Amino acid sequence: MVRYNYYYDKNIREICHEIKKNNLECCEIMANYFLNQEIIKEGDILIPIPQHNGYSIYTKQIAQLISLQTNAIVEDIIKSKPRETLYELKKQNKKVSLDFFIDKNLKEIKSNVFLIDNVLDTGQTFFTCRNLLNGINIIPLVYAYTNKNILENL
């Protein structure tokens, strides 16, 4: 599902950085990438991952763009306490702690549930969300990866 290498595929790193600035054109590029996989159907659930400020911004924008084309349901239910970016925490050799919480429970699930994020590095965000959504089979929708080995563990 994840095809692009963050470090080695042309322009992927730049697109991911521009997405963090909520660049609409780059959000559309990522949304179209997910749409072209033709796995998201009407009624599927899209859960955007929150950014370091505690709220989903660009991931929510991407989910909404996908929803416009598929009639999937955007459920912005995961929040977190504000923190430094994961990149900054790692750069400073600080412990990475994702204080995610759910602010609304999902109703009965009869479709696929996708987590929307831009880059998969250690998988910590995905695994934290999977544990938080206890018992729900979630599928990661991620644009780029940094470590191909992590893909095998999803």
Side-chain angles (χ1 to χ4, degrees), residues 64-83:
Q64 290 169 332
L65 290 166
I66 294 168
S67 177
L68 288 173
Q69 299 294 316
T70 62
N71 290 322
I73 301 161
V74 178
E75 289 283 4
D76 187 18
I77 62 171
I78 299 178
K79 309 291 187 249
S80 71
K81 294 178 182 175
R83 58 168 166 71

Side-chain angles (χ1 to χ4, degrees), residues 1 6 19 24 52 56 59 86 93 119 128 132-133 150 154:
M1 191 176 302
Y6 179 76
I19 284 171
L24 183 58
H52 70 278
S56 60
T59 53
L86 295 179
N93 288 324
V119 179
T128 300
L132 193 61
L133 297 167
I150 198 70
L154 298 179

